[in-house]
CSV table of all heavy atoms in Angstrom, one decimal:
chain,number,residue,atom,x,y,z
A,47,PRO,N,22.0,-66.1,-12.1
A,47,PRO,CA,20.8,-66.5,-12.9
A,47,PRO,C,20.5,-65.5,-13.9
A,47,PRO,O,21.2,-64.5,-14.1
A,47,PRO,CB,19.7,-66.4,-11.8
A,47,PRO,CG,20.2,-65.4,-10.8
A,47,PRO,CD,21.6,-65.5,-10.9
A,48,ASP,N,19.4,-65.8,-14.7
A,48,ASP,CA,18.9,-64.8,-15.7
A,48,ASP,C,17.5,-64.5,-15.2
A,48,ASP,O,16.6,-65.4,-15.2
A,48,ASP,CB,18.9,-65.5,-17.0
A,48,ASP,CG,18.3,-64.6,-18.2
A,48,ASP,OD1,17.8,-63.5,-17.8
A,48,ASP,OD2,18.7,-64.7,-19.3
A,49,LEU,N,17.2,-63.3,-14.8
A,49,LEU,CA,16.0,-62.8,-14.3
A,49,LEU,C,14.9,-63.2,-15.3
A,49,LEU,O,13.7,-63.3,-14.9
A,49,LEU,CB,15.9,-61.4,-13.9
A,49,LEU,CG,16.7,-61.0,-12.6
A,49,LEU,CD1,16.6,-59.5,-12.5
A,49,LEU,CD2,16.3,-61.8,-11.3
A,50,PHE,N,15.2,-63.1,-16.6
A,50,PHE,CA,14.2,-63.2,-17.7
A,50,PHE,C,14.0,-64.6,-18.2
A,50,PHE,O,13.5,-64.9,-19.1
A,50,PHE,CB,14.5,-62.3,-18.9
A,50,PHE,CG,14.5,-60.7,-18.5
A,50,PHE,CD1,14.9,-59.8,-19.4
A,50,PHE,CD2,14.1,-60.4,-17.2
A,50,PHE,CE1,14.8,-58.5,-19.0
A,50,PHE,CE2,14.1,-59.0,-17.0
A,50,PHE,CZ,14.4,-58.1,-17.8
A,51,ASP,N,14.5,-65.6,-17.2
A,51,ASP,CA,14.2,-67.1,-17.6
A,51,ASP,C,12.7,-67.4,-17.3
A,51,ASP,O,12.3,-68.3,-17.9
A,51,ASP,CB,15.0,-67.9,-16.7
A,51,ASP,CG,16.3,-68.2,-17.3
A,51,ASP,OD1,16.6,-68.1,-18.4
A,51,ASP,OD2,17.2,-68.9,-16.5
A,52,ASP,N,12.0,-66.5,-16.6
A,52,ASP,CA,10.6,-66.8,-16.4
A,52,ASP,C,9.8,-65.5,-16.3
A,52,ASP,O,10.5,-64.4,-16.0
A,52,ASP,CB,10.3,-67.7,-15.2
A,52,ASP,CG,11.0,-67.1,-13.9
A,52,ASP,OD1,10.6,-66.1,-13.6
A,52,ASP,OD2,11.8,-67.9,-13.3
A,53,ASP,N,8.5,-65.6,-16.6
A,53,ASP,CA,7.7,-64.3,-16.5
A,53,ASP,C,7.7,-63.6,-15.3
A,53,ASP,O,7.7,-62.3,-15.2
A,53,ASP,CB,6.2,-64.7,-16.9
A,53,ASP,CG,6.1,-65.1,-18.4
A,53,ASP,OD1,7.1,-65.1,-19.1
A,53,ASP,OD2,5.0,-65.6,-18.6
A,55,GLY,N,10.2,-63.3,-13.1
A,55,GLY,CA,11.3,-62.4,-13.0
A,55,GLY,C,11.3,-61.2,-13.7
A,55,GLY,O,11.6,-60.1,-13.1
A,56,LEU,N,10.8,-61.2,-14.9
A,56,LEU,CA,10.5,-60.1,-15.7
A,56,LEU,C,9.5,-59.0,-15.0
A,56,LEU,O,9.9,-57.9,-14.8
A,56,LEU,CB,10.1,-60.4,-17.2
A,56,LEU,CG,9.6,-59.3,-18.0
A,56,LEU,CD1,10.7,-58.3,-18.3
A,56,LEU,CD2,9.2,-59.8,-19.4
A,74,ARG,N,8.0,-62.0,-22.8
A,74,ARG,CA,9.3,-62.2,-22.2
A,74,ARG,C,10.3,-62.5,-23.4
A,74,ARG,O,11.4,-62.0,-23.4
A,74,ARG,CB,9.3,-63.5,-21.4
A,74,ARG,CG,10.5,-63.8,-20.5
A,74,ARG,CD,10.2,-65.0,-19.6
A,74,ARG,NE,9.8,-66.2,-20.4
A,74,ARG,CZ,10.8,-67.1,-20.9
A,74,ARG,NH1,12.2,-66.6,-20.7
A,74,ARG,NH2,10.6,-68.1,-21.6
A,78,LEU,N,13.6,-60.2,-23.9
A,78,LEU,CA,15.0,-60.8,-24.3
A,78,LEU,C,15.5,-60.3,-25.5
A,78,LEU,O,16.8,-60.0,-25.5
A,78,LEU,CB,14.9,-62.3,-24.3
A,78,LEU,CG,14.8,-62.9,-22.9
A,78,LEU,CD1,14.4,-64.5,-23.1
A,78,LEU,CD2,16.1,-62.9,-22.2
A,81,ARG,N,16.7,-56.6,-25.0
A,81,ARG,CA,18.0,-56.7,-24.0
A,81,ARG,C,19.3,-57.1,-24.7
A,81,ARG,O,20.2,-56.4,-24.7
A,81,ARG,CB,17.7,-57.7,-23.0
A,81,ARG,CG,18.9,-57.7,-21.8
A,81,ARG,CD,18.6,-58.7,-20.8
A,81,ARG,NE,18.9,-60.0,-21.2
A,81,ARG,CZ,18.8,-61.2,-20.4
A,81,ARG,NH1,18.3,-60.9,-19.1
A,81,ARG,NH2,19.1,-62.3,-20.9
Side-chain angles (χ1 to χ4, degrees):
D48 185 339
L49 289 181
F50 297 174
D51 267 349
D52 52 58
D53 289 0
L56 172 58
R74 194 173 60 85
L78 279 169
R81 184 182 77 183

